[in-house]
Amino acid sequence: MIPLSWYLILSAALFCIGLFGVLSRKNAVAILIGIELMLNAVNVNLVAFWRYITPQAITGQAFAVLVFAVAAAEVAVGLALIISIYRRRNTVVADEIDMLKF
Amino acid sequence: MTGIQLVFIVVAVMTLGAALMAVLTSNMVHAALWLILALFGVAIIFVLLNAGFLAVVQVVIYIGAISIIMIFAIMLTRRLITDIGTQTSSSWPWAALIAVALFGGLAWMLSTWGGFNTTPQLLSPRSDQVVELGQALVSPNAFVIPFEVASVLLLAALIGAIFIAWDRK
């Protein structure tokens, strides 16, 4: 059988790759891609803990479903913001979107 | 090494490689396609964890909806993206340092945790997980409040996305 540690290491690596994407990318859509990877790492963790620690309670899967819903909402609003900014400012580079910077 | 461990290693390497390509490649459409491969790898991981319903939801929502909407957004904003050239900001070494340090810290913390090498308990053969999950999501004793809040959040996101992306002349 696969020990729990393999899943935890996999999800930690996936989370760190996503974090690297969020911190290093210029393009706002690429930052959203990194966030998706991080949310997926969280889901792997939730489901792995459900399977290995508390398989009698369905809590881990229920929270994974809620993470799916939040991820869908986040992508919808995020991409709408990016398209709106692109339309007004003609850029999707996160560094150039600094209207609020004083 | 058993067959299932081999499957896990192959899927994990595929997922992590695709995720790395998704954050490193400079062509945004290719990045979205690598993201789809990584999400598919996570769906296979869900199958290995006996969570078949979540694997289906992963394919339908993440690959079917989120990735496609991302490709749409990339294509709507594409003209400038190809002009930029490099896709990584100048501070990427710091980002890499933070990510590697976080991974090292997480791995160290997990290795000191007692339950690190737990093996899975047997699922009771009588229970149907999809029925259990469905009942838990609408049961007042379980997750009905988070479930309703999530649906309100989805409605708010729907209206908000339409309002934000509306082309007001």
Side-chain angles (χ1 to χ4, degrees):
Chain A
M1 292 305 284
I2 305 168
L4 175 60
S5 51
W6 292 19
Y7 289 105
L8 298 184
I9 292 296
L10 168 71
S11 91
L14 198 58
F15 188 89
C16 292
I17 291 172
L19 182 70
F20 173 73
V22 169
L23 293 177
S24 72
R25 289 285 211 166
K26 275 165 129 182
N27 188 317
V29 182
I31 293 174
L32 276 181
I33 287 179
I35 294 175
E36 291 310 313
L37 290 174
M38 292 163 81
L39 286 169
N40 264 280
V42 172
N43 264 351
V44 171
N45 249 358
L46 284 173
V47 179
F49 278 123
W50 161 76
R51 180 69 185 81
Y52 283 75
I53 309 289
T54 59
Q56 66 282 356
I58 204 76
T59 317
Q61 283 206 38
F63 268 93
V65 169
L66 295 177
V67 172
F68 278 125
V70 173
E74 167 252 325
V75 162
V77 175
L79 291 177
L81 279 171
I82 290 169
I83 288 172
S84 177
I85 289 169
Y86 176 75
R87 204 179 270 142
R88 283 147 198 255
R89 304 276 308 242
N90 230 21
T91 181
V92 288
V93 178
D95 287 344
E96 294 172 8
I97 306 168
D98 55 359
M99 285 163 277
L100 283 176
K101 208 175 187 178
F102 187 57
Chain B
M1 177 165 298
T2 61
I4 197 137
Q5 288 178 331
L6 197 66
V7 170
F8 178 88
I9 289 174
V10 170
V11 172
V13 168
M14 181 190 88
T15 308
L16 292 180
L20 264 180
M21 287 304 290
V23 299
L24 289 178
T25 183
S26 61
N27 185 324
M28 284 308 299
V29 178
H30 290 180
L33 295 176
W34 284 113
L35 174 73
I36 290 179
L37 186 61
L39 297 176
F40 196 73
V42 173
I44 301 174
I45 296 287
F46 286 159
V47 172
L48 290 177
L49 283 165
N50 299 80
F53 176 69
L54 286 183
V56 173
V57 171
Q58 170 92 3
V59 171
V60 170
I61 294 185
Y62 265 107
I63 301 176
I66 292 181
S67 302
I68 300 304
I69 206 175
M70 242 164 202
I71 290 175
F72 266 112
I74 289 167
M75 288 181 169
L76 282 173
T77 59
R78 188 161 184 198
R79 186 166 46 81
L80 280 178
I81 290 168
T82 47
D83 293 343
I84 292 169
T86 176
Q87 285 286 329
T88 46
S89 66
S90 54
S91 59
W92 72 266
W94 288 107
L97 184 70
I98 291 172
V100 170
L102 181 67
F103 179 73
L106 280 174
W108 173 78
M109 192 191 74
L110 286 171
S111 65
T112 58
W113 176 52
F116 194 44
N117 278 315
T118 319
T119 46
Q121 308 174 25
L122 285 179
L123 291 172
S124 76
R126 287 264 154 245
S127 67
D128 185 345
Q129 284 167 44
V130 181
V131 173
E132 264 183 51
L133 180 62
Q135 284 172 346
L137 281 178
V138 292
S139 154
N141 300 322
F143 295 103
V144 71
I145 299 290
F147 181 71
E148 294 296 331
V149 171
S151 46
V152 172
L153 175 73
L154 276 177
L155 179 67
L158 177 71
I159 298 172
I162 294 172
F163 180 76
I164 291 168
W166 195 275
D167 192 8
R168 289 179 291 272
K169 293 295 176 191

